Amino acid sequence: GEAVAIKDPTAAVFRAVGGNNLLLVGQQDESALSIVSSTLIGLGTQYRPDGAKFFVIDSTPDDDPNAGLLARVANTLPHGVRMLDRTDFGPALEALAGEVNARQKKESADRTPVFLFVHGAQRIRELRKEEDFGFGRRGADKAVPPAENLAAIMRDGPTVHIHAILWADTPTNLGRTVDRAGMREFGLKILFQMGVNDSSALMDSPAASRLGRNRALYLTEETSQPEKFRPYGLPTKEWLTRVRERFAAKGAGVTG
């Protein structure tokens, strides 16, 4: 987004260190969608088409005015972005968690950066963590739930260049997908306007409660003060066409 102060635009930097995942929290659906869109395009400009992999889980309802926007954004990139729906994101998360494990054990020499986008975790029941309270054990033949694979990706992925970008509308709904320990895996956070208690729970400060609707806060573990910024607007069809044309003019090749 655009910085409020006189400085370069606000941007997240993904590095191969633990906890280097990005979390967005707030009920500003349009702002969240604009940031996810700009993040996807921004990352696409940093890598050659074969230099990064992108997976997108988009839970935007079909009757939403912005339904299908992330798919259109993905289509502007020459990277072969994979859009995941409810019929295939379970196996995809299992495969991605397996890749994380293989990279950790040095069984895979692949270090291609991978970015997993989860847009609207509050609407994806399959990603809610199970509560068995220790009474049940999974048999060897029972598949690992998608929520557990997502947790493994967020926990172990960043150190092997696999990162998650997740948006949830409220801390309560976020808690159904990410437990307290999982919250530590988000070293990068973007908060929209929210209540005092929610702001204090997420950043130990009521600062997010004082935001306007067109403002957000960006926080990292390395900085002591949050950075206020203005999220970019939603990309238009005309702008996406120009982005696609720019990629084509470069031969779909960028230096990453």
Side-chain angles (χ1 to χ4, degrees):
E2 290 289 347
V4 174
I6 300 175
K7 59 177 290 295
D8 292 335
T10 300
V13 178
F14 292 94
R15 298 179 291 120
V17 296
N20 204 231
N21 300 301
L22 175 63
L23 174 67
L24 296 84
V25 185
Q27 293 179 289
Q28 284 73 9
D29 295 38
E30 187 170 299
S31 293
L33 182 57
S34 69
I35 290 176
V36 169
S37 298
S38 59
T39 301
L40 183 55
I41 291 175
L43 287 169
T45 65
Q46 306 301 311
Y47 299 98
R48 295 182 181 277
D50 60 352
K53 301 175 184 178
F54 301 94
F55 298 85
V56 181
I57 302 174
D58 180 15
S59 70
T60 304
D62 291 339
D63 60 354
D64 189 287
N66 295 312
L69 177 61
L70 279 182
R72 293 195 295 274
V73 171
N75 286 336
T76 67
L77 303 181
H79 298 72
V81 182
R82 184 174 173 187
M83 301 295 298
L84 304 174
D85 58 29
R86 280 188 162 82
T87 64
D88 60 6
F89 75 69
L93 290 180
E94 182 177 8
L96 195 50
E99 176 63 19
V100 170
N101 187 52
R103 291 187 184 191
Q104 280 193 314
K105 293 180 177 180
K106 304 294 194 297
E107 295 172 356
S108 170
D110 188 3
R111 288 298 182 269
T112 302
V114 179
F115 300 93
L116 169 66
F117 292 79
V118 180
H119 183 70
Q122 69 273 7
R123 294 188 287 259
I124 309 175
R125 297 178 62 87
E126 295 88 343
L127 293 183
R128 295 179 185 176
K129 58 186 185 294
E130 293 183 345
E131 299 287 357
D132 62 14
F133 301 101
F135 293 117
R137 291 185 179 275
R138 182 182 301 109
D141 58 342
K142 187 175 180 181
V144 177
E148 288 191 25
N149 283 322
L150 176 62
I153 293 166
M154 295 187 300
R155 182 184 65 247
D156 302 323
T159 57
V160 290
H161 301 276
I162 297 176
H163 308 269
I165 297 95
L166 184 147
W167 167 59
D169 60 351
T170 68
T172 298
N173 284 332
L174 174 65
R176 296 188 174 103
T177 299
V178 181
D179 59 19
R180 188 178 298 273
M183 285 296 297
R184 294 196 294 268
E185 307 307 330
F186 291 100
L188 313 173
K189 295 187 182 73
I190 292 174
L191 305 184
F192 303 109
Q193 184 185 53
M194 60 184 63
V196 173
N197 292 338
D198 287 343
S199 175
S200 298
L202 289 169
M203 61 177 295
D204 296 323
S205 165
S209 68
R210 298 191 288 266
L211 290 170
R213 287 193 59 82
N214 297 317
R215 298 290 187 274
L217 291 177
Y218 175 57
L219 307 84
T220 72
E221 292 182 336
E222 290 79 15
T223 56
S224 58
Q225 294 295 324
E227 180 180 339
K228 186 184 294 187
F229 70 99
R230 291 186 294 267
Y232 293 131
L234 292 174
T236 64
K237 290 182 179 180
E238 294 75 18
W239 188 81
L240 290 176
T241 297
R242 291 198 299 271
V243 170
R244 187 183 299 109
E245 291 171 349
R246 290 291 299 274
F247 275 118
K250 294 180 179 180
V254 294
T255 57

